[in-house]
Amino acid sequence: MALSYSGGFSCKMAVVVLMWMLAISAASDVAFGASKFDDVIQPSWATDHVIYEGDLLKLKLDNFSGAGFASKNKYLYGKASADIKLVPGDSAGTVTAFYMSSEGDNHNEFDFEFLGNTTGEPYLVQTNLYINGVGNREQRMDLWFDPTTDFHSYSVHWTPRHVAFLVDDTPIRVYENKEDKGIAFPRDQPMGVYSSIWNADDWATQGGRVKTDWTHAPFVTTYRAVRIDGCEATAASGGCVGTEELLNVHQSHQLIWARANHLVYDYCVDTDRFPAVPPECARR
């Protein structure tokens, strides 16, 4: 039996009302943090400083707090990437980090740390590795672009043969597995993916000589995407072995170019800190 309605509520009006209801629903989703990021990551601290704005996610630092997020899963080997636009203008004293880490005192960790600077000065990108709880493997580079004006991809690729740091898929650092020479390599510890922004003006900018200018707050780092392609560490994931590939010829040339033109600090040649060359730095 056909149903009819004899009132003045037209089909056109019904469409308008439906669109209005969908718009309210979408706005509600944004307000409560529903976004494309939700399948991969979640806020981990200072949730009021983690902002969902359409298809973007923003971490905010002010003189009350920074903020951070973490992946919902942990992984044994894989590639973690984020499309990031860094804090513009005077970002001195601030640090934005994107990294992978396991847990505990003997943890492994692979860091991107973006060190803010005064207006007009270049950002420095510091990479570091902790292996079995020991770090002190810092390297710093400047970049061949302004990372505050557009999004760029930053990736950590962890395989049984290396840990590679990439910027827009250009490798800037590779830590190779040299276990055959008795040198520790990170393996077996499941790692989460994290990002955060915080105040580090005791060391981040020109060795701590330039402090954070809070009149420029809030400082905001923006994310367009977070991608994790890895083997989730579960009770059934004992067979995770990771991908074995090393750099191809083109990437090897890119690595040489990036380090020749943009490396500004390398712990391997810092004889004040390390009078004896760290064993992983020694040439084959």
Side-chain angles (χ1 to χ4, degrees):
M1 181 179 70
L3 296 178
S4 64
Y5 176 66
S6 59
F9 192 82
S10 66
C11 290
K12 182 177 181 180
M13 181 62 72
V15 171
V16 172
V17 171
L18 177 60
M19 293 176 64
W20 175 72
M21 292 175 65
L22 290 173
I24 291 178
S25 176
S28 177
D29 285 346
V30 171
F32 287 94
S35 81
K36 65 181 182 182
F37 295 93
D38 288 351
D39 291 337
V40 181
I41 58 99
Q42 59 193 357
S44 55
W45 58 285
T47 57
D48 61 329
H49 283 53
V50 180
I51 303 163
Y52 294 87
E53 192 172 284
D55 286 337
L56 303 177
L57 182 153
K58 297 184 175 184
L59 297 183
K60 181 176 71 172
L61 168 67
D62 55 28
N63 55 356
F64 296 101
S65 179
F69 64 73
S71 61
K72 292 186 174 182
N73 297 305
K74 290 182 169 57
Y75 302 86
L76 282 168
Y77 303 115
K79 185 177 182 181
S81 305
D83 294 350
I84 305 174
K85 183 161 60 174
L86 295 173
V87 177
D90 186 349
S91 57
T94 72
V95 172
T96 297
F98 178 67
Y99 61 104
M100 298 183 70
S101 182
S102 59
E103 298 179 350
D105 292 338
N106 295 319
H107 74 293
N108 297 326
E109 185 174 325
F110 317 138
D111 298 331
F112 272 108
E113 292 178 314
F114 304 96
L115 313 183
N117 218 324
T118 54
T119 302
E121 295 295 321
Y123 257 89
L124 293 180
V125 179
Q126 176 167 285
T127 58
N128 196 7
L129 295 94
Y130 284 76
I131 302 173
N132 298 327
V134 179
N136 298 323
R137 297 179 174 90
E138 299 92 346
Q139 294 182 357
R140 292 184 181 182
M141 303 185 75
D142 56 26
L143 292 167
W144 49 95
F145 53 83
D146 183 346
T148 72
T149 59
D150 204 353
F151 292 95
H152 293 270
S153 177
Y154 305 92
S155 305
V156 178
H157 189 198
W158 175 35
T159 81
R161 297 182 66 179
H162 70 209
V163 178
F165 296 84
L166 304 100
V167 176
D168 290 334
D169 285 329
T170 294
I172 63 169
R173 181 178 186 177
V174 176
Y175 184 93
E176 293 185 18
N177 185 338
K178 298 181 181 179
E179 289 179 306
D180 60 337
K181 300 181 182 299
I183 298 169
F185 184 80
R187 60 166 63 251
D188 300 331
Q189 295 187 36
M191 304 184 79
V193 178
Y194 304 88
S195 194
S196 58
I197 185 172
W198 77 94
N199 178 45
D201 65 4
D202 57 331
W203 65 270
T205 304
Q206 298 180 30
R209 291 187 295 274
V210 180
K211 303 300 182 182
T212 303
D213 183 350
W214 294 107
T215 65
H216 295 299
F219 304 98
V220 177
T221 297
T222 306
Y223 301 76
R224 183 174 61 185
V226 177
R227 299 175 296 278
I228 305 173
D229 181 12
C231 186
E232 291 186 14
T234 66
S237 64
C240 289
V241 294
T243 53
E244 289 291 328
E245 72 269 15
L246 287 170
L247 303 183
N248 60 38
V249 173
H250 177 62
Q251 289 176 314
S252 296
H253 291 163
Q254 287 181 313
L255 176 64
I256 293 170
W257 170 84
R259 296 180 68 79
N261 291 280
H262 296 281
L263 184 68
V264 298
Y265 174 82
D266 184 355
Y267 79 108
C268 286
V269 296
D270 188 342
T271 55
D272 290 335
R273 289 179 66 196
F274 305 101
V277 177
E280 66 270 20
C281 299
R283 295 187 179 274
R284 291 184 179 274

